[in-house]
Amino acid sequence: KQEVTQIPAALSVPEGENLVLNCSFTDSAIYNLQWFRQDPGKGLTSLLLIQSSQREQTSGRLNASLDKSSGRSTLYIAASQPGDSATYLCAVSGGAQKLVFGQGTRLTINP
Amino acid sequence: DVKVTQSSRYLVKRTGEKVFLECVQDMDHENMFWYRQDPGLGLRLIYFSYDVKMKEKGDIPEGYSVSREKKERFSLILESASTNQTSMYLCASSSLAGGPGEQFFGPGTRLTVL
């Protein structure tokens, strides 16, 4: 059974810092990996989707990498801003149209 | 932009009531999903559908049913609401083309069962 872990559960950094969020998964037979952002009380916003054949994807200040063989993904946020404060979730798809989610990392950017 | 809408942001119901949660997507996606999200338990899949009138059980289908009569609409039904179904309910959709695609989520419905 696929399990997804995100460490740390919470992270607080000063504005302007570059930071990395981590995601690991136990079964490397994934189809793709998706990173989401969730603001309190809201739905999930898709940030990046990485197919299993890709190593990384970039969108603006965000860069996500995937190392399928080691079961790891990272989300790099450059020049963090207070508006980046949110919970970040990663999820993997094993090909059955279903996503398995991590518990998320709650990120706080301090002005 | 993909848009997934849910019928209510907040809902308060009484134990034993029948509850309908509606989800509509405007991107002609084949797949639609219902999740619930609870503190400490994360997101859990209740049901999903990959075509009209088709449904598959997720990880926690007990106490729920679903209906998909039209491609754009996926309904979650709580036949007899109970207090342990108080939760945030999230709907999502994705395209089937080329394998599992990017999932897009609605804003969520916060359901409280008294």
Side-chain angles (χ1 to χ4, degrees):
Chain A
K1 181 185 173 184
Q2 179 74 270
E3 292 183 1
V4 180
T5 303
Q6 292 185 248
I7 295 173
L11 181 64
S12 181
V13 301
E15 180 179 1
E17 281 202 5
N18 303 323
L19 59 99
V20 174
L21 306 181
N22 297 296
C23 172
S24 61
F25 45 94
T26 55
D27 185 352
S28 62
I30 65 168
Y31 197 91
N32 58 42
L33 183 146
Q34 200 167 349
W35 282 95
F36 296 90
R37 167 191 173 128
Q38 185 175 32
D39 294 291
K42 302 286 179 65
L44 278 64
T45 300
S46 178
L47 297 174
L48 290 162
L49 173 74
I50 310 179
Q51 302 292 350
S52 62
S53 57
Q54 297 175 318
R55 297 283 296 185
E56 63 179 85
Q57 281 283 348
T58 298
S59 176
R61 294 183 294 109
L62 306 179
N63 176 277
S65 68
L66 174 63
D67 183 344
K68 204 173 73 161
S69 61
S70 68
R72 294 177 188 273
S73 176
T74 61
L75 180 67
Y76 175 83
I77 302 176
S80 59
Q81 304 169 358
D84 295 330
S85 297
T87 295
Y88 290 80
L89 296 144
C90 75
V92 298
S93 172
Q97 315 294 338
K98 297 188 291 184
L99 289 176
V100 178
F101 283 85
Q103 293 281 343
T105 294
R106 189 172 68 253
L107 176 65
T108 303
I109 307 298
N110 301 303
Chain B
D1 278 354
V2 175
K3 192 157 187 183
V4 180
T5 57
Q6 296 183 228
S7 51
S8 306
R9 290 299 312 277
Y10 300 94
L11 209 52
V12 179
K13 295 292 181 182
R14 298 217 173 263
T15 301
E17 280 193 77
K18 190 168 185 176
V19 181
F20 293 86
L21 303 182
E22 302 282 332
C23 175
V24 177
Q25 51 93 6
D26 67 357
M27 282 301 291
D28 201 36
H29 283 168
E30 294 83 2
N31 299 325
M32 296 189 74
F33 307 83
W34 275 106
Y35 297 87
R36 64 177 283 177
Q37 185 177 30
D38 301 286
L41 297 176
L43 275 99
R44 295 178 291 168
L45 181 65
I46 305 171
Y47 268 97
F48 70 102
S49 167
Y50 52 88
D51 200 354
V52 174
K53 297 193 186 296
M54 304 301 290
K55 61 184 180 184
E56 293 280 346
K57 292 181 180 178
D59 300 316
I60 51 163
E62 296 78 18
Y64 303 94
S65 62
V66 290
S67 172
R68 192 161 180 206
E69 297 296 320
K70 293 185 177 181
K71 190 175 185 180
E72 68 271 18
R73 189 179 298 269
F74 193 34
S75 302
L76 180 69
I77 303 155
L78 287 65
E79 296 288 344
S80 178
S82 63
T83 54
N84 63 12
Q85 292 178 310
T86 291
S87 186
M88 173 70 128
Y89 289 87
L90 293 161
C91 175
S93 72
S94 70
S95 173
L96 190 57
E102 189 174 3
Q103 283 196 21
F104 297 90
F105 280 76
T109 295
R110 171 79 60 188
L111 173 66
T112 301
V113 182
L114 301 175

